[in-house]
Every structure is written in structure tokens, then in C-alpha cells.
Amino acid sequence: MAQRVLADNPDATINDVAAAAGVVRRTVYAHFASREALIDGIALEAVERISAALARVPAADESAVTVFVRQTLALTRVGDQYRLLLAVARTDLGHNGIHDLLAPMRESAAAVIRRGQREGVFSSYQNADVLILNIEAIALSILDATNAALLTDPAGATTTSSLVLLGIAPDEAERIVADIRASDSPTRAL
């Protein structure tokens, strides 16, 4: 409920959240001491969901490209659920707060990028830690574009753009993402 209220109105107060939930303000304060604590709670929930999504992606027996694509698709699906809160998070958590919250994602993706660089499938014009910061910026920009109704597929756009940044040609990146999505589809033939 709080996510929806804050997504609709980034300046919403605890009173607004309580009213939307049909409870008294004291009920919300019993769980969150302040608006900032409420936003921190939502952010921590997002981090837990990101960590869970990363844990579900197999890494050992697939190519670095496949692992990276699966991770990015999984992460952007989670991020898409929280994308309307970006304005709130940037204001209330600041750049460093968002940067810190995304650390688990960054570490996991950088490890896959390093592996892909060693295998020669990802470009090594920049080190993996710099590349992942660029990818993170792309992902946040794409979520902003989705909020502005400029994009309808943030997961595909983020994943394809990230692969291009890693040195894969745009047409090939689109094909790879489409193939992996098709192979991961629950309706695929068994």
C-alpha cells in the first residue's frame, strides 16, 4: 500500500499512507517511526527481492553472456516493480543510499563481467567495476524512461543496452535477449 501511495505522490506523508490503508496514523507509526523509516523499509524489501532474484540465477554451467542476461532480466523485473519509487528514493535516500542498496547486484554482475572478459566475450576497454557503474546508470535511466511512458519493456531495453555496452553488436544483443527469454518462458515446449 505504501509503495502505491508514494508512487502516486512522492511527497506523500505518513498520514497519507495511513489514510490510503484505512488505518490511523498510529498504526503506521507502530511499524515505521518516520516517513524516512518507511522508505528505508521499502528499499530494504527491494534489496531482499534483488538478492533472492540473483540467488535463483544459475551461474556455473552457463556462458557468461547467458548468466549476465538472466541476471539482468531477473533484476530488472524486480526493479520494474519498484521503479515508480525512484523519485522518492533519490530524494530521500540520495545517490549514495541507492548506490549502497545496489551493492549486491553490482558485485554479482561485476563478477560475471570479469568472467566474460576473461573468456573474451565481453570487451575489456574498461574494468568490470567501471562497466557495472555504467550499466547501473543505464538501468536507472531506462526505469525513468519507463516511468515517463517512453518504453514498455524496461527489462529488454536494459539487458540489450547493457550487452551493447559490454561490446556485443546491437542486433546480436537483441537476438541473445530474445533467445534467452524464449528458452526461459514457462510456456516453452518440454
Side-chain angles (χ1 to χ4, degrees):
M1 175 63 65
Q3 281 181 299
R4 186 175 51 78
V5 171
L6 289 167
D8 291 343
N9 176 11
D11 296 321
T13 65
I14 291 282
N15 290 341
D16 298 328
V17 172
V23 298
V24 295
R25 184 176 60 168
R26 185 176 6 179
T27 302
V28 177
Y29 277 117
H31 299 282
F32 303 100
S34 65
R35 179 180 187 277
E36 292 75 25
L38 174 65
I39 292 167
D40 286 347
I42 294 169
L44 289 174
E45 177 184 309
V47 168
E48 289 171 6
R49 300 221 28 230
I50 286 170
S51 295
L54 285 173
R56 288 190 296 272
V57 176
D61 60 343
E62 296 182 305
S63 74
V65 173
T66 300
V67 173
F68 181 82
V69 168
R70 286 202 168 120
Q71 281 183 342
T72 305
L73 289 170
L75 292 171
T76 53
R77 282 190 293 268
V78 173
D80 189 43
Q81 295 169 5
Y82 292 90
R83 70 181 161 81
L84 293 171
L85 294 174
L86 281 176
V88 175
R90 286 183 182 146
T91 301
D92 290 278
L93 299 177
H95 172 74
N96 289 339
I98 292 172
H99 183 81
D100 293 347
L101 289 173
L102 295 176
M105 175 278 312
R106 196 177 307 106
E107 296 297 326
S108 179
V112 175
I113 292 170
R114 281 188 210 91
R115 181 177 146 208
Q117 288 174 325
R118 284 191 306 273
E119 293 172 1
V121 295
F122 292 149
S123 177
S124 52
Y125 68 96
Q126 289 286 341
N127 73 49
D129 295 317
V130 172
L131 288 169
I132 197 59
L133 290 172
N134 286 300
I135 289 168
E136 183 179 310
I138 287 169
L140 292 172
S141 295
I142 287 173
L143 291 175
D144 281 341
T146 305
N147 286 345
L150 298 173
L151 289 170
T152 58
D153 180 16
T158 299
T159 308
T160 301
S161 297
S162 298
L163 288 174
V164 171
L165 183 70
L166 293 173
I168 295 176
D171 290 345
E172 179 68 4
E174 286 180 350
R175 185 196 61 73
I176 291 167
V177 172
D179 288 351
I180 291 173
R181 279 180 148 173
S183 73
D184 289 348
S185 173
T187 60
R188 72 175 185 240
L190 297 176

